[in-house]
Amino acid sequence: MKFSDNFLWGGATAANQCEGAYLTDGKGLSLVDILPAKTEKRNEALFDPKQALATNYQYYPSHESIDFYHHFREDIKLFAEMGFKVYRMSISWPRIFPNGDDEQPNEQGLKFYDEVFAECRKYKIEPLVTINHFDTPLALFKKYNGWTDRRLIDLYLKYCEVLFKRYKGQVKYWLTFNEINMILHIPFLGGGLDVKSTEIPEQLKYQAAHHQLVASALATKLAHEVDDENQVGCMLVAGQTYPYTCNPKDVWAALNADREGYFFIDVQSRGYYPSYADKIFREKEVELEWAETDRRDLYENTVDFISFSYYSSRLTSADPNVMEKTAGNIFASLKNPYLKTSSWGWQTDGLGLRITMNQIYDRYQKPLFVVENGLGEKDLVTPEDEIHDQYRIDYLRENLRELGAAIEDGVECLGYTSWGCIDLVSAGSGEMSKRYGYIYVDRNDKGEGSLQRLKKDSFYWYQKVIATNGKYLLEEDD
Ligand code: BG6
């Protein structure tokens, strides 16, 4: 198992799940800012945003979150102590353009990220920036129904131009959209759109996706024009789908399930819609509107690398009688009897990461970046303020060993940023108690707590993994 000397070890967060300070220094509302906690039916709100907007909830987890906005110096210092080489974070679009279509950017918002990047540079941590991580300004949802409207492309590009110019020399790695295929599953967070009252929701979702794909291509072009050092990646919710049996019908179902996500990366990496797209559109009664220049823009501006999130593999069957399901990252999967399951129903499959990496690399032959991976679990703080999260270490070790094996297989991988390196608010459930971090944050599901940061056992473990450039993964017993 050989990680290259410049392998980028680190962790990942997103502005909308950690910053808090939801109206501070001129920030506009983010999509998540109207979503309640799990106890107040967050899931319903996620799929009925108009209703959510009209409701006064008791508690909004994103409003304060872990208050990274006021703790970033302390937090980045802890990342440095673990030895991070890279920190994946996102910029909050409504912090820069509060309404999304403002004439001028919000200087205070820009200044905040100046300070964050300076802090990273102080410790020689390379920022990896997601430009839009579930964070289209809420005002654009209200005014345009989000990405269904083609005007979002220009608004996004204006935002990108501000970022590329302002942070030139500070940031070199960019991701255009977090988990771009999520727009099909959580359209409100993925693209600021409401599909509830539409007759053909797929029409709106794929049209919005098309706009994002064109925007991503044009942002890639712009990033390269502003600074030829810039490296731009796409970002996919990955996780190989296994067939439930060797019945060819199951194999065919699994192949098609994976195509749903690869569809996006095919466009971003190859520069054109895949051959199977027409059939999908026919079956779903989707008729896309294209501008004359779209085909050219997609073709000429493909991404430099491919990033993805991986939490688990998935399982599918063509037989509707195979029923036993389990939860996964937003969409459920059939339960795989060979795998362990977390308290939230997500399954652990380290080898699935190796399979997924080989599959993606075979398909695109571009460098990969694993930008999300991790285990969301409840943690217990002892009276001595210790957190013994051996379950998390086990999950991460299993996954990282397989990542190393994929590199041995010949897969080119730039780095690894585990998700939620510091505890933050869950995107799916709004809970704090679903913790992924190496760093514990004292805050509960009701928003109570001191916000104090504590180091978990996994903090010291990851520190050793990074210090030995992965060798420590092999020194340990299972
Ligand atoms: C990914 C997202 O889907 O999974 C993150 O990019 C999210 O924003 C992560 O937090 C884990 O999901 P959850 O629902 O456990 O927060």
Side-chain angles (χ1 to χ4, degrees), residues 13-14 16-17 88 133-134 178-179 182 186 189 235 237 309 311 328-330 344 346 371-376 419-420 424-431 434-436:
T13 63
N16 77 91
Q17 290 168 256
R88 176 183 174 223
H133 190 131
F134 298 161
N178 179 62
E179 300 189 330
M182 270 298 189
I186 36 169
L189 281 189
M235 165 33 168
V237 183
S309 62
Y311 292 90
N329 191 3
I330 301 294
W344 270 266
W346 297 26
V371 296
E372 281 188 35
N373 176 244
L375 178 72
W419 176 246
L424 37 64
V425 175
S426 155
S429 71
E431 292 161 294
K434 190 180 186 192
R435 298 172 182 275
Y436 289 85

Side-chain angles (χ1 to χ4, degrees), residues 185-209:
H185 299 276
I186 36 169
F188 178 61
L189 281 189
L193 53 139
D194 174 24
V195 296
K196 197 167 189 303
S197 45
T198 325
E199 266 182 39
I200 311 178
E202 301 300 319
Q203 170 67 33
L204 280 191
K205 290 188 212 171
Y206 276 103
Q207 188 65 55

Side-chain angles (χ1 to χ4, degrees), residues 165-228:
K165 290 189 170 158
R166 175 81 171 218
Y167 304 124
K168 184 174 173 175
Q170 295 298 309
V171 180
K172 150 170 136 187
Y173 291 102
W174 301 92
L175 304 180
T176 51
F177 290 90
N178 179 62
E179 300 189 330
I180 190 160
N181 47 328
M182 270 298 189
I183 198 166
L184 300 180
H185 299 276
I186 36 169
F188 178 61
L189 281 189
L193 53 139
D194 174 24
V195 296
K196 197 167 189 303
S197 45
T198 325
E199 266 182 39
I200 311 178
E202 301 300 319
Q203 170 67 33
L204 280 191
K205 290 188 212 171
Y206 276 103
Q207 188 65 55
H210 177 71
H211 294 149
Q212 290 194 341
L213 289 167
V214 173
S216 174
L218 291 171
T220 305
K221 178 173 189 232
L222 193 60
H224 291 151
E225 281 167 4
V226 173
D227 186 349
D228 56 16

Side-chain angles (χ1 to χ4, degrees), residues 65-111:
S65 187
I66 60 160
D67 198 23
F68 178 80
Y69 195 78
H70 296 108
H71 289 73
F72 70 92
R73 289 203 167 80
E74 174 188 351
D75 295 343
I76 294 171
K77 188 163 184 249
L78 288 166
F79 300 159
E81 198 181 322
M82 268 186 282
F84 279 21
K85 314 280 181 226
V86 63
Y87 170 41
R88 176 183 174 223
M89 51 171 279
S90 74
I91 291 182
S92 162
W93 184 354
R95 209 177 273 293
I96 308 302
F97 286 100
N99 300 294
D101 57 0
D102 315 72
E103 272 300 309
Q104 295 298 326
N106 171 27
E107 178 56 32
Q108 286 168 294
L110 289 167
K111 203 164 148 291

